[in-house]
Amino acid sequence: MASEELQKDLEEVKVLLEKATRKRVRDALTAEKSKIETEIKNKMQQKSQKKAELLDNEKPAAVVAPITTGYTVKISNYGWDQSDKFVKIYITLTGVHQVPTENVQVHFTERSFDLLVKNLNGKSYSMIVNNLLKPISVEGSSKKVKTDTVLILCRKKVENTRWDYLTQVEKECKEKEKPSYDTETDPSEGLMNVLKKIYEDGDDDMKQTINKAWVESREKQAKGDTEF
């Protein structure tokens, strides 16, 4: 549901909550209010995350911040994007285009690759990526060395399929971060069900309270009054 619709639902719940006098009704409406507020908050976070991902995709060649472990430097930062046929990994290494071609080695398996750059400014650089999200074609994969950049081309075994993540581990980590509630649930439907149950189980006073609050909230919305 769009954030605008959720906001309207929240405003209506606030009106009903303001009019309700019965504790049971107020408790139910308060729970719905918290649920809708949580839904709005998570949708805003999802929008921010998508925006950040789009910005990252515009700059696939991330600046490398290597972690030095003795003589060999482990590459920890990289950028990646994809086409219908390839997953492309960009590694920025200043001066890499000046070393002999044989000093830049990449080994592929169906679900991994490792890069080794020898004798660049007196050091070696390595990067190992295991558990790729999907299988790749070893024969169709390759590397290209450009100015200050190593481009690794992993040929998708199944073309025209989208990779949402580079590795299986990244996918599992992201999925754990997702909220556990059902994001497809319509908050309006949940509110209606709660009010319906309270109405059916309630006495005459409770029914009168709900009817009055509902009518007043509808009239208020019809007049365009959304300030509470």
Side-chain angles (χ1 to χ4, degrees):
M1 174 177 281
S3 298
E4 294 79 7
E5 292 298 316
L6 287 171
Q7 192 64 43
K8 289 179 182 178
D9 289 340
L10 179 60
E11 290 166 356
E12 188 161 290
V13 171
K14 287 180 180 178
V15 173
L16 293 170
L17 189 57
E18 184 179 322
K19 303 296 182 184
T21 57
R22 307 279 293 184
K23 182 178 184 301
R24 186 174 172 187
V25 176
R26 291 185 62 83
D27 289 346
L29 290 174
T30 300
E32 279 301 311
K33 177 172 172 286
S34 298
K35 180 181 177 181
I36 296 173
E37 286 174 341
T38 300
E39 182 80 7
I40 292 173
K41 179 181 177 182
N42 280 281
K43 281 193 175 293
M44 295 298 292
Q45 290 177 345
Q46 289 171 7
K47 284 184 179 179
S48 299
Q49 184 178 350
K50 287 181 180 178
K51 185 176 180 181
E53 289 174 353
L54 287 174
L55 291 174
D56 287 342
N57 289 336
E58 291 174 2
K59 300 178 181 179
V63 176
V64 174
I67 303 171
T68 303
T69 53
Y71 183 73
T72 300
V73 179
K74 185 179 295 184
I75 300 169
S76 59
N77 285 350
Y78 56 87
W80 74 281
D81 62 9
Q82 61 187 303
S83 63
D84 290 341
K85 295 181 179 180
F86 290 96
V87 172
K88 308 170 187 178
I89 297 91
Y90 300 81
I91 300 102
T92 301
L93 287 172
T94 302
V96 69
H97 57 288
Q98 297 174 337
V99 303
T101 303
E102 61 270 18
N103 282 23
V104 181
Q105 303 172 0
V106 183
H107 176 256
F108 297 96
T109 73
E110 192 174 75
R111 294 296 290 270
S112 72
F113 68 84
D114 62 86
L115 164 70
L116 177 62
V117 180
K118 298 180 180 179
N119 195 21
L120 173 59
N121 299 322
K123 298 177 181 178
S124 293
Y125 292 80
S126 71
M127 176 181 176
I128 301 174
V129 177
N130 293 313
N131 299 313
L132 291 171
L133 185 67
K134 299 179 182 181
I136 63 174
S137 167
V138 175
E139 297 78 12
S141 299
S142 61
K143 72 171 190 305
K144 289 184 180 179
V145 179
K146 300 184 177 183
T147 304
D148 298 329
T149 302
V150 177
L151 170 59
I152 297 176
L153 298 165
C154 294
R155 181 68 179 256
K156 295 178 178 179
K157 200 156 193 177
V158 181
E159 296 181 5
N160 300 309
T161 56
R162 176 173 175 77
W163 290 31
D164 293 323
Y165 307 96
L166 182 60
T167 66
Q168 187 68 30
V169 173
E170 183 183 353
K171 177 185 176 183
E172 292 171 359
C173 290
K174 292 291 184 181
E175 287 180 346
K176 286 181 181 178
E177 294 172 4
K178 291 182 180 179
S180 58
Y181 63 84
D182 184 2
T183 56
E184 300 300 321
T185 301
D186 187 340
S188 292
E189 184 179 341
L191 173 60
M192 289 295 295
N193 289 337
V194 170
L195 291 176
K196 183 178 179 182
K197 181 169 177 56
I198 295 174
Y199 188 87
E200 290 175 349
D201 295 343
D203 54 24
D204 291 340
D205 289 339
M206 188 180 296
K207 291 178 180 178
Q208 184 177 357
T209 299
I210 293 176
N211 281 332
K212 182 180 178 181
W214 189 264
V215 171
E216 289 181 0
S217 70
R218 287 299 182 186
E219 289 178 349
K220 200 169 188 179
Q221 279 199 343
K223 294 177 182 178
D225 186 358
T226 56
E227 293 181 8
F228 305 101

